[in-house]
Amino acid sequence: MLKLILSCIVALSLAVAAVPAEAGLTTSLQDLVVQGNGLRSSLATIQVSNGGVCGQLGTLNTSIEDYLSVVQGVYNQLAAPLTLTSADLTSLEDLSGIARDLAADSIRLSLELRALEGMADLFEYRSALSAMLRLSDDIGTMADRILEMADRILAMADNIGLMADRILATQRIQAANITLTQNAILSTQTNMIALSKSLSTIGYNLTLGLLLADTQFQVAEMGQLTLDTSNAAATLSYLETKTAALSARVLVVYDLITKDSRQASHYVDGTTLTYLGDLTVAQKQFAAVLETYAATVSRIAPLMQTPLLSDATRSMLRLTADINTMSKRIVEMGDKIIVMADNIGIMSGRIVETQVIQRENVALTLSSVQAAQSTMLALIKNMN
């Protein structure tokens, strides 16, 4: 009789001790579902067209990483024996479904990013790529952790026989969800890799803008300079050095665009086209000033010392050569960008407008350059 009473007391104690652990697991799983649904809602509200996508993705990534820590905490506290309930299995199904939905929604965001014609800020554009890749990686890790937790819970369950049918149903659901999750993550990452290989021309805008500003500044500076017998050689040598540096920078950008066009497509940004058109305008103005300089040097040549005149004509010829090279390369930049454009149909009107502007300006630039060169060559011949 005493043995029977003691065994009952022990059994009752074990049962009482097991209740908090099982109740705790059920609550923890349900809390994970609630938090997971919050993550799902957060991702669903992110729209690339609304702007600020990088900040929102960054916040979401941080939230997912915090969520992974909670999942890991629940996993670490698991201890056998566990008595599974239908609510626990429902929670495990819900958790795998949440991971699946997050992965599927990441495809939507990646497609929205790919559909962009250009972004106002290159940093925002590249940060979005990085954030999307990080998001897909975190979602994949989340799916793995949830699956590992489910496997461990099932391994520790002491009522598998009673719950066998329900456990099999849960495992089928999880297997299907994990497959969909992995496929969605792969699609997202494929889209991001494709996007990273597709350059938006906004990447060139800062450099093109600086080239334009420097060219316009030099043209304005040249317009304020007056050549005479005493300063012509020194002034033209100074301008020759500045123009050679400017020409070298144009060639660097040209080489970059040429390299990019061999391995990537482009989304043409309207600002890029504006810069390319404005650069040819600046080059035309540059060449017109040189034509005026050439006429001035020709007029004052008889009054100049031969060494100074020789230096002045040499600088003039180098200046015209650099202008000629820059003008041609700027047009070629535009041609390479346009040929590789993914959105040529959408931007066709602006592209045609830019090409017309460039062709007209280049024709005027070459005319001025040739006039300046002819003047200098005639001067060289006449002055022997």
Side-chain angles (χ1 to χ4, degrees):
M1 184 65 178
L2 182 58
K3 288 182 178 181
L4 179 59
I5 293 173
L6 288 174
S7 63
C8 289
I9 292 173
V10 171
L12 181 60
S13 299
L14 290 174
V16 171
V19 169
E22 292 159 13
L25 174 62
T26 299
T27 300
S28 296
L29 292 177
Q30 290 173 345
D31 288 344
L32 287 176
V33 171
V34 172
Q35 295 172 46
N37 283 328
L39 295 174
R40 181 162 52 187
S41 297
S42 296
L43 180 56
T45 60
I46 298 177
Q47 304 286 334
V48 172
S49 58
N50 293 338
V53 65
C54 292
Q56 295 177 73
L57 285 174
T59 300
L60 180 60
N61 283 329
T62 300
S63 298
I64 291 178
E65 289 173 358
D66 292 341
Y67 183 74
L68 287 172
S69 297
V70 177
V71 173
Q72 189 64 46
V74 174
Y75 179 89
N76 292 338
Q77 292 176 6
L78 294 175
L82 293 174
T83 300
L84 282 177
T85 66
S86 293
D88 297 335
L89 294 174
T90 298
S91 294
L92 293 176
E93 293 168 6
D94 290 344
L95 288 171
S96 66
I98 289 169
R100 176 204 62 207
D101 291 345
L102 285 171
D105 211 19
S106 70
I107 297 179
R108 171 188 62 81
L109 270 182
S110 69
L111 291 174
E112 287 182 15
L113 280 173
R114 290 196 65 179
L116 287 176
E117 300 300 338
M119 297 179 73
D121 184 8
L122 181 61
F123 177 77
E124 176 86 2
Y125 177 82
R126 290 182 174 171
S127 295
L129 295 182
S130 176
M132 278 302 304
L133 288 171
R134 179 182 161 196
L135 175 66
S136 64
D137 184 60
D138 284 346
I139 292 173
T141 302
M142 174 180 164
D144 289 341
R145 294 295 173 270
I146 289 172
L147 186 61
E148 291 171 3
M149 181 175 66
D151 288 343
R152 186 166 186 179
I153 289 173
L154 294 178
M156 291 181 173
D158 60 0
N159 60 334
I160 289 180
L162 296 175
M163 302 289 291
D165 291 341
R166 184 64 199 281
I167 288 172
L168 286 174
T170 298
Q171 288 179 319
R172 290 193 188 99
I173 292 172
Q174 286 187 312
N177 285 338
I178 199 68
T179 299
L180 293 172
T181 301
Q182 290 171 341
N183 290 338
I185 290 171
L186 179 61
S187 295
T188 299
Q189 292 178 337
T190 300
N191 285 335
M192 290 301 94
I193 291 170
L195 185 56
S196 67
K197 290 181 179 178
S198 230
L199 300 174
S200 171
T201 58
I202 57 173
Y204 308 128
N205 287 355
L206 176 60
T207 303
L208 292 175
L210 291 173
L211 287 176
L212 175 61
D214 289 346
T215 303
Q216 291 172 332
F217 178 82
Q218 187 164 340
V219 170
E221 181 182 23
M222 291 170 67
Q224 296 174 356
L225 297 174
T226 302
L227 300 183
D228 56 37
T229 55
S230 63
N231 71 3
T235 300
L236 290 174
S237 176
Y238 161 73
L239 293 174
E240 176 196 344
T241 301
K242 287 191 66 176
T243 304
L246 187 62
S247 179
R249 288 169 55 197
V250 169
L251 292 177
V252 169
V253 181
Y254 171 80
D255 290 341
L256 173 63
I257 292 175
T258 300
K259 179 182 177 182
D260 288 342
S261 66
R262 290 171 183 160
Q263 60 187 7
S265 54
H266 297 274
Y267 291 107
V268 174
D269 178 53
T271 303
T272 307
L273 296 175
T274 299
Y275 279 139
L276 290 170
D278 289 348
L279 275 168
T280 57
V281 172
Q283 293 293 310
K284 176 189 69 176
Q285 295 168 341
F286 206 152
V289 174
L290 284 184
E291 187 178 3
T292 302
Y293 276 8
T296 301
V297 172
S298 180
R299 187 181 70 252
I300 65 176
L303 305 176
M304 293 181 65
Q305 298 178 12
T306 300
L308 292 178
L309 178 59
S310 176
D311 290 343
T313 54
R314 184 182 299 109
S315 292
M316 276 296 303
L317 288 173
R318 288 174 178 168
L319 278 166
T320 56
D322 283 339
I323 288 291
N324 189 34
T325 299
M326 280 193 287
S327 181
K328 289 180 179 178
R329 292 296 177 267
I330 288 168
V331 173
E332 289 172 11
M333 286 181 201
D335 290 341
K336 289 179 182 295
I337 287 174
I338 290 167
V339 167
M340 296 300 295
D342 287 338
N343 57 336
I344 192 169
I346 297 174
M347 299 295 289
S348 58
R350 284 295 309 280
I351 287 171
V352 171
E353 178 186 345
T354 300
Q355 287 182 317
V356 170
I357 291 171
Q358 286 188 314
R359 295 295 183 268
E360 292 176 350
N361 288 330
V362 168
L364 293 172
T365 300
L366 293 179
S367 176
S368 294
V369 167
Q370 289 170 357
Q373 289 175 334
S374 296
T375 300
M376 288 299 95
L377 292 173
L379 178 61
I380 291 170
K381 180 180 179 181
N382 293 335
M383 300 301 293
N384 195 23

